[in-house]
Amino acid sequence: MTEILKDTSERQLSQLLYAVFFFHASEYLLAIACHGKSKVTIESLLISKDYLLAMILSMLEYLLELHFFPSLKNNWSISNTGLMLVILGETIRKLAILTAGKAFSHIIQRYHEDDHKLITYGIYGVIRHPGYSGFLIWSVGTQIMLCNPVSTIAFAIILWDFFHNRIPYEEFFLKQFFGLEHDAYAQRVWSGIPFVKYAPVFHLEGVFSAYQLSYLYPLLPYATTISHRQLDSRVQQRVILEAIFKR
């Protein structure tokens, strides 16, 4: 039994190590290939404090369950399903990067640049945000691969909430850059994140942080109704954005 558990843990942990190494190394190398080494920093590895904490906690869960509930880790049908999700998520995300090329960025662009184009073909013709979708699938897949029930649920909830807030914010700016073309595309193509739909007219509180809104209030008339005000004028939106982000 001990030998079986040793083989199980070695296989699962080695798969995780290879998956994590490939993901981050390829993100960094592709960023260099797309944007040039001079424009890429260590941040392109996508290793944040929150990410490290999540991975450490997931490893702690794995080791505790391996000790107290060893049979839980020996479910290869579940573990192999996780491995397939890791491969699927990685494939979707890398297709997104390769398809978008210079238009792909790890940072939300608030100002339009020459290389920033609306990509609607390839993987983007099926999924509106394949980079986010791929990362969600990859991350949750790593925890299913380890047979970590707590971390699987936690990763899914936390990442869904993150993208649920990030996508409307990003699409607000995409609407400024590409107008009706983006509206038509966003209404036609699924976001790639469950239950995250496109809103062609944005509510301010759904796009801006409280800090940004504190600057926004004096810029519009009838501030008493600001929490319900909708932005449907591209001219008004552009003036507001410039006022906010130049402060």
Side-chain angles (χ1 to χ4, degrees), residues 183-203:
D183 279 346
Y185 168 68
Q187 291 175 19
R188 184 178 72 251
V189 179
W190 178 50
S191 70
I193 304 297
F195 310 112
V196 176
K197 298 181 179 180
Y198 178 64
V201 178
F202 297 96
H203 289 277

Side-chain angles (χ1 to χ4, degrees), residues 107-163:
I107 300 172
I108 292 177
Q109 300 298 309
R110 298 191 312 221
Y111 300 99
H112 190 272
E113 298 180 358
D114 293 338
D115 293 332
H116 201 179
K117 300 177 181 178
L118 183 64
I119 309 298
T120 61
Y121 53 84
I123 188 69
Y124 289 88
V126 182
I127 303 173
R128 203 161 73 244
H129 294 279
Y132 297 157
S133 179
F135 184 73
L136 176 62
I137 295 170
W138 180 88
S139 298
V140 174
T142 62
Q143 301 311 303
I144 296 176
M145 185 174 66
L146 295 178
C147 298
N148 278 355
V150 176
S151 292
T152 296
I153 296 172
F155 273 45
I157 293 174
I158 292 172
L159 285 171
W160 181 87
D161 184 66
F162 175 77
F163 291 128

Side-chain angles (χ1 to χ4, degrees), residues 25-132:
S26 59
E27 288 285 321
Y28 185 75
L29 292 174
L30 284 173
I32 293 176
C34 292
H35 301 286
K37 190 173 182 179
S38 62
K39 296 183 179 180
V40 176
T41 67
I42 198 69
E43 293 180 356
S44 291
L45 284 170
L46 301 185
I47 301 177
S48 66
K49 292 180 180 179
D50 291 339
Y51 174 83
L52 285 175
L53 178 61
M55 282 300 186
I56 290 171
L57 291 176
S58 72
M59 287 305 305
L60 180 60
E61 178 192 352
Y62 181 84
L63 294 174
L64 287 174
E65 291 172 350
L66 184 66
H67 180 76
F68 291 106
F69 310 102
S71 61
L72 183 65
K73 302 303 180 186
N74 206 32
N75 193 326
W76 283 109
S77 61
I78 292 178
S79 184
N80 288 334
T81 298
L83 177 59
M84 288 188 287
L85 289 174
V86 167
I87 296 172
L88 175 63
E90 183 74 70
T91 301
I92 291 174
R93 182 168 175 88
K94 292 310 183 283
L95 279 175
I97 297 175
L98 292 172
T99 302
K102 290 184 178 181
F104 190 94
S105 174
H106 291 143
I107 300 172
I108 292 177
Q109 300 298 309
R110 298 191 312 221
Y111 300 99
H112 190 272
E113 298 180 358
D114 293 338
D115 293 332
H116 201 179
K117 300 177 181 178
L118 183 64
I119 309 298
T120 61
Y121 53 84
I123 188 69
Y124 289 88
V126 182
I127 303 173
R128 203 161 73 244
H129 294 279
Y132 297 157

Side-chain angles (χ1 to χ4, degrees), residues 172 175 199-208 216 220-222 225-234 236-237 240:
F172 179 89
K175 181 180 175 69
V201 178
F202 297 96
H203 289 277
L204 293 179
E205 67 273 15
V207 174
F208 297 104
L216 182 57
L220 293 179
Y222 312 112
T225 61
I226 192 70
S227 63
H228 302 292
R229 183 175 295 277
Q230 294 178 327
L231 295 181
D232 53 8
S233 167
R234 294 189 64 202
Q236 186 183 47
Q237 290 173 20
I240 291 170

